[in-house]
C-alpha cells in the first residue's frame, strides 16, 4: 500500500514544479485560485437569487407610456405621453429602421433616448413597423416612405403644424432622408443618427475594423442576393441578420456570455441591463425581401442615393431638394456604419444649414451607453430649440 504521505508529497511537488516552471509560487497560486472560485460561487449564488426574484416586468423594454393613434397594415403610429413642459413646439417623428425594433431607443428609464427627449420638453411620435412576415415580403422602401408620409399628414392634422421634424435612426435615417428629399414642404428639420448615405465612402476612408458589413455586402453578386432572399422565403430573417452582426465582432460575441457575464452576475443593475439588451437582440424582426433587395443592390452595390439615381415610386430622390436644416450625428467608432458613410451627406444636400457631430462611441453605444446618454439627447434638444419658431 502506498504511503499517503508520499502521495501527498508527490502531488504538491508536482504542483510546485509546474508553477515554478511558470514563474509562480505554488501556494500563492493555489490560494488565489481557491479565492477566485469562492468569489465566483458567490456571484452565481447571488445571481440565482436575483433571477429567481425577477419577473417579466423587470426586463420590459420600450415601456415609456405612449398612445396608439393610427394603424395601417402592421404599421402603427404612437404619440408618447409628455413628461415635462413643452420647450420645442414642432412635433418630432422618430423613424427607426427595419433591421431592428424601436425598443432599442427605450431600453430602460436611464438608457432611453425617447425618455431623455421627452424630459427635455419635446413632443415625440413614433412609427412602429411591427413584425413583418412573409405576407409583407413584397413591401419596398417606396412603401415605407409612404407610411412615413401618412404619419406626417396625421401628425400635422392633430397638432395644427404644417411641418414636422424627422429623427431618423440608422436604416430609418435613410428612409427619413428620402422623405425629406421627396416632400421638402413637410419637413421642418432633419436629424440623423448613425445613418449611411454614401455606401461607398468607406472604400478609401475606413479603419480596418470599420466597413466589414459594407465590404461583405458588396462582395455578393446581385444574383446571389436574389438567391439568398428567395431561398429564405422572400424575407431576410431576423435571426439571419443577427448572425451576420455577431460574426462582425467574433471575440466580443464569444466572451459576452462567459467572461463579461461572469463579471456582472453579482450586480443586479448591470445584470438587468444585460438582460434587457439581450431581449432586444432576440426580438429582431424579419426584413421584407423587396425592400432588402433595394437596400443591398441599389444602395450598397450601386450607391444610387449619392449618385442621384435612386428612385422611389417613380420619382428620383434628389438630395439637393432637401432644404430643411440638417443635424447629422454619427459614432466615430462605428463598426457597422463607418463615419465617412454618414458624412457623405454634407456635400450632396441643398440646404445651407448643415451641421455634423461625431461622438466618441460605437454604433450601439451611441444610443445606450452611459457615456452618450446625456450628450446625444442634449445635442438634439438644444439644436431643435434654436430652430423652433
Amino acid at each position: 500500500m502506498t504511503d499517503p504521505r508520499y502521495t501527498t508529497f508527490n502531488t504538491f511537488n508536482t504542483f510546485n514544479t509546474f508553477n515554478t516552471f511558470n514563474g509562480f509560487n505554488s501556494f500563492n497560486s493555489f490560494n488565489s485560485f481557491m479565492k477566485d472560485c469562492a468569489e465566483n460561487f458567490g456571484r452565481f449564488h447571488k445571481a440565482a437569487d436575483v433571477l429567481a426574484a425577477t419577473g417579466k416586468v423587470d426586463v420590459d423594454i420600450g415601456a415609456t407610456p405612449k398612445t396608439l393613434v393610427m394603424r395601417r397594415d402592421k404599421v402603427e403610429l404612437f404619440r408618447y405621453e409628455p413628461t415635462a413642459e413643452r420647450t420645442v413646439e414642432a412635433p418630432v417623428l422618430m423613424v427607426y429602421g427595419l433591421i431592428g425594433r424601436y425598443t432599442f431607443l427605450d431600453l430602460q428609464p436611464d438608457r432611453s433616448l425617447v425618455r431623455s427627449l421627452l424630459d427635455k420638453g419635446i413632443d415625440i411620435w413614433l412609427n412602429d413597423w411591427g413584425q413583418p412576415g412573409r405576407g409583407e415580403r413584397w413591401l419596398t422602401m417606396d412603401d415605407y416612405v409612404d407610411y412615413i408620409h401618412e404619419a406626417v399628414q396625421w401628425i400635422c392634422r392633430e397638432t395644427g403644424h404644417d411641418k414636422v421634424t424627422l429623427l431618423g435612426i440608422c436604416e430609418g435615417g435613410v428612409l427619413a432622408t428620402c422623405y425629406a428629399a421627396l416632400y421638402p414642404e413637410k419637413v421642418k428639420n432633419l436629424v440623423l443618427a448613425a445613418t449611411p448615405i454614401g455606401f461607398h465612402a468607406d472604400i478609401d476612408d475606413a479603419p480596418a475594423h470599420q466597413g466589414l458589413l459594407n465590404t461583405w455586402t458588396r462582395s455578393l453578386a446581385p444574383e446571389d442576393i436574389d438567391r439568398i432572399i428567395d431561398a429564405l422565403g422572400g424575407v431576410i430573417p431576423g435571426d439571419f441578420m443577427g448572425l451576420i452582426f455577431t460574426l462582425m465582432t467574433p471575440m466580443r460575441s464569444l466572451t459576452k456570455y462567459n467572461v463579461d457575464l461572469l463579471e456582472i452576475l453579482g450586480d443586479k443593475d448591470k445584470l438587468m441591463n444585460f438582460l434587457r439588451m439581450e431581449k432586444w437582440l432576440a426580438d429582431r424582426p424579419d426584413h421584407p425581401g423587396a425592400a432588402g433587395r433595394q437596400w443591398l443592390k441599389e444602395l450598397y452595390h450601386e450607391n444610387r442615393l449619392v449618385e442621384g439615381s435612386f428612385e422611389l415610386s417613380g420619382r428620383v430622390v434628389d438630395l439637393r431638394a432637401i432644404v430643411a436644416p440638417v443635424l447629422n450625428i454619427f459614432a466615430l467608432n462605428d463598426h457597422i456604419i463607418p463615419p465617412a458613410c454618414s458624412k457623405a451627406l454634407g456635400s450632396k444636400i441643398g440646404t445651407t444649414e448643415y451641421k455634423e457631430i461625431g461622438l466618441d462611441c460605437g454604433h450601439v453605444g451611441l444610443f445606450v451607453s452611459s457615456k452618450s446618454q446625456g450628450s446625444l439627447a442634449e445635442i438634439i434638444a438644444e439644436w431643435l430649440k434654436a430652430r423652433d419658431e
Side-chain angles (χ1 to χ4, degrees):
M1 181 176 180
T2 304
D3 187 336
R5 292 172 298 177
Y6 179 79
T7 303
T8 302
F9 174 79
N10 275 328
T11 300
F12 276 97
N13 188 52
T14 302
F15 185 72
N16 187 54
T17 301
F18 174 78
N19 282 283
T20 300
F21 178 79
N22 284 282
F24 296 107
N25 179 279
S26 59
F27 293 103
N28 287 341
S29 298
F30 183 72
N31 288 337
S32 177
F33 170 74
M34 293 303 295
K35 182 180 179 181
D36 287 343
C37 285
E39 290 178 351
N40 288 336
F41 280 128
R43 289 195 188 101
F44 285 130
H45 187 272
K46 186 174 182 179
D49 290 340
V50 170
L51 291 174
T54 297
K56 181 179 179 181
V57 67
D58 294 306
V59 289
D60 274 350
I61 56 178
T64 299
K66 58 186 180 296
T67 302
L68 175 65
V69 297
M70 184 188 72
R71 180 186 289 114
R72 176 183 168 193
D73 304 326
K74 287 187 176 180
V75 179
E76 297 177 327
L77 176 64
F78 289 93
R79 186 179 194 177
Y80 282 94
E81 296 180 11
T83 61
E85 184 178 349
R86 189 70 48 79
T87 60
V88 176
E89 290 302 320
V92 175
L93 175 62
M94 300 185 82
V95 183
Y96 192 62
L98 304 170
I99 294 174
R101 294 277 288 151
Y102 75 91
T103 47
F104 181 53
L105 304 172
D106 187 28
L107 281 179
Q108 59 194 51
D110 63 338
R111 293 176 188 266
S112 169
L113 178 60
V114 169
R115 189 176 291 264
S116 295
L117 291 173
L118 289 172
D119 289 345
K120 295 183 182 301
I122 298 176
D123 183 17
I124 300 294
W125 300 65
L126 171 84
N127 257 346
D128 177 5
W129 307 127
Q131 295 282 1
R134 292 189 64 187
E136 287 71 45
R137 63 187 181 275
W138 308 114
L139 290 179
T140 63
M141 293 179 67
D142 315 49
D143 294 308
Y144 283 96
V145 169
D146 189 46
Y147 285 133
I148 293 173
H149 186 50
E150 188 164 359
V152 168
Q153 291 179 308
W154 182 282
I155 294 170
C156 287
R157 287 195 300 268
E158 289 294 306
T159 63
H161 287 84
D162 296 327
K163 303 179 180 181
V164 305
T165 290
L166 294 181
L167 172 51
I169 311 293
C170 195
E171 184 187 14
V174 176
L175 297 174
T177 299
C178 291
Y179 182 85
L182 294 173
Y183 299 94
E185 73 280 1
K186 304 300 294 183
V187 180
K188 181 175 179 61
N189 303 292
L190 176 63
V191 180
L192 303 175
T195 296
I197 298 295
F199 287 77
H200 291 181
D202 62 293
I203 293 177
D204 298 319
D205 184 20
H209 70 288
Q210 295 178 346
L212 293 176
L213 181 63
N214 298 27
T215 301
W216 176 76
T217 303
R218 289 192 297 260
S219 72
L220 297 172
E223 56 269 24
D224 289 335
I225 293 173
D226 288 330
R227 291 190 187 104
I228 291 172
I229 295 176
D230 290 340
L232 294 173
V235 300
I236 307 175
D239 290 343
F240 178 79
M241 290 186 289
L243 176 62
I244 297 299
F245 290 122
T246 295
L247 293 176
M248 291 178 64
T249 54
M251 292 307 298
R252 179 77 182 87
S253 301
L254 284 172
T255 59
K256 73 172 182 175
Y257 293 117
N258 41 63
V259 178
D260 294 348
L261 184 56
L262 187 63
E263 291 297 317
I264 65 171
L265 282 177
D267 188 315
K268 180 178 180 180
D269 290 338
K270 290 182 179 179
L271 182 58
M272 290 299 103
N273 291 347
F274 180 88
L275 292 176
R276 292 186 187 102
M277 177 58 73
E278 290 304 300
K279 183 174 182 178
W280 173 75
L281 290 171
D283 190 32
R284 193 179 296 280
D286 295 343
H287 194 296
R293 294 177 207 267
Q294 289 173 292
W295 182 256
L296 296 173
K297 293 196 289 187
E298 298 185 27
L299 298 182
Y300 269 103
H301 272 204
E302 301 172 20
N303 203 25
R304 289 192 183 186
L305 191 56
V306 295
E307 296 296 332
S309 57
F310 187 52
E311 293 187 14
L312 294 176
S313 301
R315 300 170 61 190
V316 174
V317 179
D318 185 357
L319 297 179
R320 294 172 299 179
I322 298 176
V323 293
V326 176
L327 174 62
N328 189 8
I329 305 171
F330 47 86
L332 295 173
N333 300 312
D334 198 326
H335 71 289
I336 296 176
I337 300 171
C341 295
S342 297
K343 296 170 68 175
L345 176 66
S347 62
K348 299 295 182 179
I349 54 179
T351 182
T352 58
E353 191 172 354
Y354 172 83
K355 183 175 183 178
E356 62 184 35
I357 298 176
L359 297 180
D360 188 17
C361 54
H363 185 82
V364 174
L366 181 62
F367 305 100
V368 302
S369 73
S370 56
K371 182 178 179 181
S372 66
Q373 277 307 295
S375 58
L376 180 60
E378 184 69 27
I379 289 169
I380 294 174
E382 291 304 314
W383 189 83
L384 290 178
K385 287 178 187 177
R387 284 150 191 83
D388 197 53
E389 297 178 0

